[in-house]
Amino acid sequence: MEIISKRKIWFIISALIIIIGLGSLVMQGLNLGIDFTGGTLMEFTFDQQVTTGQVREVLAEFDLDKKSVIQNTGENGILIRTISLNQDEIAKIQSTIKDKHSSAEMLRTEMVGPTIGSELKAKAYWALLIAGIAIVAYISFRFEFKFAIAALIALAHDILIVVGIFSLLGEKVGSPFIAALLTVVGYSINDTIVIFDRIRETVKYRDKESFAVLNNKAVLDTLPRSINTSMTTLVSIIAILVLGGATIKPFMLALLIGILSGTYSSIFVASPVLVEIDDWKKRRDSRQTA
């Protein structure tokens, strides 16, 4: 199987998906949740357990079921995070919940302002930047700088695909989405390093073959491991995505897209980009010595 020699095909496939995602980002942007845009927090307590599904049914009467994040707090508590509401709307929701669950008692209501959203956004950018710098430093130390650049390009590929598809689907983007992105970064780089480690071992003992041929052999040697690991992980993710409920859906969906993209990029992007960088360096060195 020739993977490296057909690298332009894989590059074109990746570029098409990324361009479509970027087009969606430009046209409609991301569906930012209240973590970023601000909104209203409401916390209730009950004398018995009330599920998030029961509360979501109440919010559906106000067309807020898909615009809200509902979490269990403590033994019998419920925390609702939703879009900005005025006092009348909050009072109607409180009254409806009280009608359906007589023991309901509102503990607090808070307005989450855009300042908190900006703070979260800045922390998200910093988290990704620090993760990127740490990855470049580690791979440059463990391998070579060109391996770090190839790995970073593969990670950027994965993040752009996840963000682009979320924009296309109009899925809600909140703090769990950022956590999912960082998880995808960790998973993808782990898969890529396994292949890079095999490349380094192969290059060390087979110096008569070209770097591209050795890369292809290394990718094929690790291909079953990469696919089997991803498949077992994806089975768990799909199970939780289907059965886990609405609250956890954005996180699991981002993981699903990210791990699919990460598996693809570790096989079809990282090593082919590494070969391209190596070819470019050889051409540059050849011009300098000519």
Side-chain angles (χ1 to χ4, degrees), residues 198-212:
R198 185 65 181 170
I199 291 171
R200 186 176 57 175
E201 292 297 317
T202 307
V203 170
K204 191 184 299 182
Y205 298 109
R206 297 182 184 178
D207 56 355
K208 292 182 180 178
E209 295 170 284
S210 70
F211 190 65

Side-chain angles (χ1 to χ4, degrees), residues 93-112:
I93 292 171
Q94 181 183 9
S95 174
T96 307
I97 291 177
K98 184 82 175 173
D99 289 343
K100 294 188 182 288
H101 307 281
S102 57
S103 64
E105 180 183 349
M106 180 177 275
L107 297 178
R108 62 172 173 145
T109 60
E110 292 179 15
M111 303 303 290
V112 182

Side-chain angles (χ1 to χ4, degrees), residues 161-234:
I161 284 181
V162 176
V163 173
I165 292 179
F166 256 64
S167 173
L168 274 173
L169 298 176
E171 284 290 335
K172 189 77 72 183
V173 172
S175 51
F177 178 77
I178 303 303
L181 279 186
L182 291 171
T183 306
V184 167
V185 166
Y187 183 91
S188 179
I189 197 65
N190 176 61
D191 220 19
T192 301
I193 283 180
V194 169
I195 295 176
F196 281 178
D197 201 41
R198 185 65 181 170
I199 291 171
R200 186 176 57 175
E201 292 297 317
T202 307
V203 170
K204 191 184 299 182
Y205 298 109
R206 297 182 184 178
D207 56 355
K208 292 182 180 178
E209 295 170 284
S210 70
F211 190 65
V213 170
L214 294 174
N215 259 268
N216 200 69
K217 286 181 178 177
V219 171
L220 292 181
D221 286 345
T222 54
L223 192 60
R225 181 261 182 206
S226 297
I227 292 175
N228 290 336
T229 304
S230 299
M231 287 302 108
T232 50
T233 307
L234 287 172

